[in-house]
Amino acid sequence: MSDGLITGVPAGAKVRRPRLLSPLREHLRDTMWFAPTTGLVGAMVLWALAAELDSQIVDAAREAGDYESIESLMGIAEDAKAVISTIGSAMMTFIGVVFSISLVAVQMASGQFSPRVVRLYVRSRITKITLTVFLATFLFSLMTLTSFDSENDPELLTSVPLIESVLAMAMVFLSLLLFVAYVNGTLRMMRISFVIDRIARESLRVAVKHPTEGAVDDERLGPATARITHRGRAGVLRDVNIARVVRAAGRHGVVLRLLPRIGDFVVPGTPVFTVHGGAAPPPHALRYTVHVGVERTFHQDLGFGLRQLSDIALRALSPAVNDPTTAVQALDRIVQFLASVAGYPLGALRHRDRRGAVRMIQPVPDWTALVDLGFAEIRGFATGSPQVTRRMLAGLDDLLRLAPEERRQPLLRHRELLAQAVERAVPEAADRTFALLPDRQGIG
């Protein structure tokens, strides 16, 4: 085992191995094509199975000589054909309505909240499920229409799409239920409180996955023996396939340190890994481990939620919007997130292999960076709104009570800077005193 390898697991610590398909799952959630395509394929398979069952029913009746039953099925099929034709034409109208509502909701969210919250609509499960079921119902009804036989002789008839018709009508009923759920879900996503809550919950999910081990010991890690550069396209570092990196590092007995943070913009030639404890793994071993895109994601980005909450607060405090209550709601969630990570070791994550040996080190924002991200920009625009300054002071005071002693300095710095900014911006002493009075609701 190489000298640069960090081994051993702290007492009571749980070795948390990354999931292999985690990046792929997150990338598919950011697309709108995967779920509808899967639904269309499923509709084709379901239609093929139902068509086979309908054929077997007719064949069984013919072998038994029960032509009266076949004639009865033919009569039912004539009535069902009109219903299926109506379903086929109506589903396209429903699909158009779904797209129209989605586009309006996305446009309103982008203009009112922040362009970065549009991804909430792209990742919405109810939107994807509704669109998937609508398209699947439309395709299934078209395929069912092709199963109707024009033959009127019961002895020559090959199939009566009875089961197919029942399934088509069941899918229509499911579509109607999903449409109601979709409208309700879309209306909720157009409310700022719900959007802020969704962002906060996504951010807390990232924080919960944060290991609780201590800081990385660079002396035990040893000096860097090689560097690996980025050879793909330029863009934002979305995530890293941690399972693949850990596996490659384990096979070659080294430790890989990720240099850029998730969310950094990288260009071809940018160093992305330093190698410790041996020679660099061959290029093919680390292929498809670093994923670059055009926008950040929550998946492994500890600070992305704070970035979105800060953007929403800044837009609310702009003179064009002038909505301090929304800024206070964003501050509520910023304080909640910072309180949840106040006791966590920050700055770097350690990812281990099956034996408990550290194989990858991933940088994350430290405590000071997170506090600055949550408060610095909002503080610069908050002096004109006593509601916001009072809420920010209350939040800082709460965090000062929750954070360890060594993490109090950034909070005290922001508190002092806010007080100085209010002193400069507010001329009246009574107004300054009112604006600097901590209040968790701002001004009730």
Side-chain angles (χ1 to χ4, degrees):
M1 192 173 294
S2 61
D3 294 337
L5 183 63
I6 302 176
T7 58
V9 182
K14 183 179 179 181
V15 177
R16 195 181 147 273
R17 298 186 63 236
R19 290 176 291 185
L20 180 62
L21 296 179
S22 184
L24 176 60
R25 181 192 63 183
E26 290 299 316
H27 293 178
L28 291 178
R29 287 188 65 188
D30 285 334
T31 65
M32 286 295 293
W33 62 265
F34 179 73
T37 302
T38 303
L40 292 175
V41 173
M44 291 290 293
V45 173
L46 181 63
W47 170 80
L49 294 175
E52 179 63 25
L53 289 176
D54 284 328
S55 298
Q56 291 181 5
I57 291 175
V58 174
D59 291 341
R62 183 183 297 110
E63 291 176 0
D66 189 3
Y67 294 108
E68 293 183 359
S69 297
I70 296 179
E71 291 179 352
S72 299
L73 293 176
M74 292 173 60
I76 297 174
E78 286 298 323
D79 297 332
K81 186 175 182 179
V83 176
I84 300 302
S85 299
T86 304
I87 291 174
S89 59
M91 290 315 300
M92 287 307 298
T93 303
F94 266 112
I95 293 171
V97 171
V98 169
F99 268 112
S100 300
I101 296 176
S102 298
L103 291 176
V104 170
V106 168
Q107 184 178 10
M108 290 185 61
S110 177
Q112 183 178 356
F113 307 144
S114 167
R116 273 150 294 283
V117 306
V118 171
R119 65 187 310 275
L120 294 178
Y121 296 84
V122 176
R123 292 167 64 90
S124 172
R125 288 189 176 94
I126 187 62
T127 299
K128 293 179 180 179
I129 293 174
T130 302
L131 182 61
T132 298
V133 173
F134 279 16
L135 289 173
T137 303
F138 175 69
L139 179 61
F140 191 89
S141 62
L142 292 183
M143 299 303 298
T144 301
L145 286 175
T146 64
S147 300
F148 286 95
D149 199 333
S150 58
E151 181 61 53
N152 295 323
D153 188 351
E155 297 184 2
L156 301 177
L157 190 68
T158 59
S159 176
V160 177
L162 181 63
I163 295 178
E164 297 168 66
S165 300
V166 172
L167 288 176
M169 288 184 281
M171 292 176 70
V172 170
F173 181 72
L174 177 61
S175 298
L176 293 175
L177 293 178
L178 284 174
F179 182 72
V180 175
Y182 166 76
V183 172
N184 178 68
T186 302
L187 291 176
R188 290 178 64 194
M189 286 192 293
M190 295 172 67
R191 292 157 47 194
I192 185 62
S193 300
F194 179 80
V195 171
I196 291 177
D197 179 68
R198 281 285 300 272
I199 294 173
R201 284 191 283 115
E202 292 278 0
S203 302
L204 291 173
R205 287 194 187 100
V206 179
V208 167
K209 297 177 183 177
H210 195 293
T212 56
E213 300 182 40
V216 176
D217 190 345
D218 288 335
E219 293 183 0
R220 295 181 62 192
L221 184 63
T225 56
R227 284 194 170 193
I228 301 173
T229 59
H230 175 56
R231 299 184 179 182
R233 61 173 180 168
V236 175
L237 180 60
R238 291 166 52 93
D239 53 45
V240 176
N241 193 320
I242 298 172
R244 185 173 294 176
V245 173
V246 168
R247 190 166 55 245
R251 283 199 300 262
H252 295 84
V254 298
V255 180
L256 296 175
R257 181 194 284 271
L258 182 68
L259 295 178
R261 287 195 324 216
I262 303 298
D264 287 357
F265 191 87
V266 297
V267 298
T270 301
V272 290
F273 289 108
T274 57
V275 184
H276 301 262
H284 67 83
L286 296 175
R287 187 176 301 167
Y288 306 122
T289 57
V290 176
H291 302 108
V292 171
V294 297
E295 63 177 353
R296 297 167 67 176
T297 68
F298 276 109
H299 182 210
Q300 298 172 2
D301 197 336
L302 190 62
F304 187 45
L306 287 180
R307 175 71 275 161
Q308 293 186 71
L309 292 172
S310 179
D311 286 346
I312 291 174
L314 290 174
R315 181 162 298 209
L317 291 174
S318 66
V321 178
N322 194 22
D323 183 12
T325 302
T326 294
V328 167
Q329 289 179 299
L331 279 171
D332 291 340
R333 300 301 183 170
I334 289 173
V335 173
Q336 177 190 9
F337 176 81
L338 291 175
S340 69
V341 300
Y344 285 6
L346 297 170
L349 303 180
R350 295 190 285 184
H351 302 286
R352 300 176 180 271
D353 60 14
R354 293 180 178 178
R355 296 176 297 174
V358 174
R359 292 300 182 182
M360 175 184 167
I361 298 174
Q362 175 188 352
V364 296
D366 60 15
W367 173 252
T368 301
L370 291 176
V371 172
D372 289 342
L373 179 57
F375 292 117
E377 293 177 304
I378 300 175
R379 174 173 49 78
F381 289 88
T383 54
S385 174
Q387 181 181 1
V388 180
T389 58
R390 287 159 61 96
R391 178 62 186 100
M392 184 177 292
L393 287 170
L396 289 169
D397 289 345
D398 288 339
L399 291 173
L400 284 168
R401 286 188 287 268
L402 294 171
E405 183 66 29
E406 64 274 11
R407 292 187 172 179
R408 292 169 58 90
Q409 194 279 329
L411 301 171
L412 292 172
R413 173 169 55 86
H414 280 284
R415 203 184 194 290
E416 180 62 25
L417 290 174
L418 179 60
Q420 294 176 6
V422 172
E423 290 285 344
R424 292 191 301 267
V426 182
E428 297 293 335
D431 290 338
R432 288 197 300 268
T433 301
F434 181 79
L436 293 176
L437 184 64
D439 186 341
R440 289 192 180 92
Q441 293 188 22
I443 310 179

